[in-house]
Amino acid sequence: MLTQRVQAILQSVNHLRPIPSNVTRILKELENPKVSLGMIAEYIGLDQALAALVLQMANSAALGYGRSCTSLNDAVVRIGVKRLKSLLLASVAVDSMNRQLSGYRLGAGELWNHSVGTAVTAEWVARALAYPDPEEAYVAGLLHDIGKLLLDQYVLSDYSQIILYVQKYNQPLWQVEEKLIGIDHARVGGLITQRWGFPAVLIEAISFHHYPSAAHAKPVLPAIVNLANYLTIKVQGSRQGLFCDVIHPDTYTILSVDDVRLERFQQRILDVLGVSAS
């Protein structure tokens, strides 16, 4: 039997607004082989917020671009079709991911910065492990913590108990959420992306990024996100808020990664994310 709080969370998911029609229209146009990137840039330009997001991403230091990009046309070409699809899928949540999350002790922009870092890291890990669709890993990494947006108020009300379990009893955050709230942020994130009609492989990757062997279809993708989340926290030093910096034991087996390879990955991610080792 579901607790009242879990029922309230499920209701919140059901009341989320769908992906805006202008975003679904652009996603549909991107599947049209006859559409030009110039036309796509025009469609994006009709939405001020979307245009700003595309320009922001095209100038992201995490993507390794040197010179600044001020034209929407140039931004679309620079990002590319696959990355643009990922960004469009994420666009509905960007404003919320940039806000302060008091329960998780995250300031404005901190969740988004961690998410972008995890996305970039997940894509790099996917390429290093010859995963067939690195862009899939990117979008799963970008949205892996989206469930925190709905759980934040519940974490806030249980904060002292959550900290007790995380710090004193050394339990991973997601397990503490499940114990005290009745559902963890990863599963809530999966429900949100299911509501938005995401592909099943992405829903599973987000739902099980802390417990990848629970994924039925493709455990490799949630394992990549699990590893990328860990590496991003280690490299960026994201200790200011509540994050789960634990690699699930099954991740090592699923990805055939050992401690030596993990150390090499961490050194490379320092360069990928442009973080000083000092």
Side-chain angles (χ1 to χ4, degrees):
M1 193 162 147
L2 296 174
T3 66
Q4 281 189 326
R5 291 210 289 185
V6 173
Q7 285 179 335
I9 291 163
L10 296 179
Q11 278 192 327
S12 297
V13 172
N14 289 332
H15 291 151
L16 286 173
R17 64 188 179 95
I19 292 181
S21 57
N22 62 318
V23 172
T24 54
R25 177 193 178 191
I26 298 170
L27 284 168
K28 187 176 179 181
E29 288 293 343
L30 284 169
E31 299 298 326
N32 180 0
K34 294 182 180 178
V35 76
S36 69
L37 290 182
M39 290 170 66
I40 295 297
E42 282 185 30
Y43 295 143
I44 292 170
L46 297 174
D47 185 316
Q48 192 174 10
L50 198 56
L53 178 61
V54 168
L55 282 168
Q56 178 191 347
M57 190 60 76
N59 286 290
S60 171
L63 294 178
Y65 296 123
R67 63 181 182 83
S68 62
C69 176
T70 56
S71 156
L72 203 50
N73 263 320
D74 289 347
V76 168
V77 171
R78 175 179 283 188
I79 291 172
V81 171
K82 284 192 172 182
R83 179 58 45 85
L84 189 58
K85 286 180 183 177
S86 300
L87 192 57
L88 288 166
L89 286 172
S91 64
V92 68
V94 170
D95 285 345
S96 298
M97 291 172 76
N98 267 307
R99 68 175 169 82
Q100 178 180 332
L101 296 182
S102 300
Y104 287 97
R105 299 304 195 263
L106 292 171
E110 287 180 356
L111 178 61
W112 176 247
N113 290 336
H114 167 70
S115 300
V116 171
T118 304
V120 172
T121 302
E123 182 186 24
W124 184 91
V125 170
R127 292 186 190 282
L129 297 176
Y131 183 75
D133 193 344
E135 195 60 40
E136 220 170 51
Y138 181 93
V139 71
L142 191 64
L143 294 176
H144 74 288
D145 271 348
I146 196 172
K148 289 182 175 179
L149 301 176
L150 291 188
L151 275 201
D152 187 58
Q153 59 180 308
Y154 302 97
V155 171
L156 183 62
S157 62
D158 281 350
Y159 185 76
S160 57
Q161 260 200 304
I162 287 173
I163 286 297
L164 178 69
Y165 278 97
V166 168
Q167 294 183 351
K168 186 174 179 180
Y169 301 119
N170 201 30
Q171 290 191 352
L173 173 64
W174 68 277
Q175 289 183 349
V176 177
E177 290 171 339
E178 201 171 62
K179 183 182 185 71
L180 298 180
I181 299 171
I183 191 169
D184 71 289
H185 67 270
R187 295 300 293 267
V188 173
L191 292 171
I192 291 171
T193 49
Q194 186 175 22
R195 160 75 175 156
W196 287 337
F198 277 38
V201 67
L202 289 176
I203 295 169
E204 277 210 335
I206 292 164
S207 299
F208 303 116
H209 72 268
H210 289 305
Y211 186 14
S213 51
H216 302 297
K218 198 186 286 187
V220 172
L221 188 56
I224 287 172
V225 178
N226 182 244
L227 180 58
N229 179 64
Y230 167 84
L231 289 170
T232 304
I233 292 169
K234 289 298 182 187
V235 167
Q236 290 185 335
S238 304
R239 296 286 182 179
Q240 69 275 28
L242 277 178
F243 286 112
C244 185
D245 60 343
V246 178
I247 300 179
H248 194 282
D250 293 345
T251 292
Y252 290 98
T253 306
I254 293 168
L255 301 181
S256 300
V257 171
D258 56 20
D259 288 336
V260 174
R261 200 174 189 191
L262 184 64
E263 179 62 30
R264 278 206 309 269
F265 278 10
Q266 187 165 325
Q267 291 304 312
R268 289 297 306 276
I269 296 303
L270 284 167
D271 296 331
V272 171
L273 296 183
V275 178
S276 170
S278 53

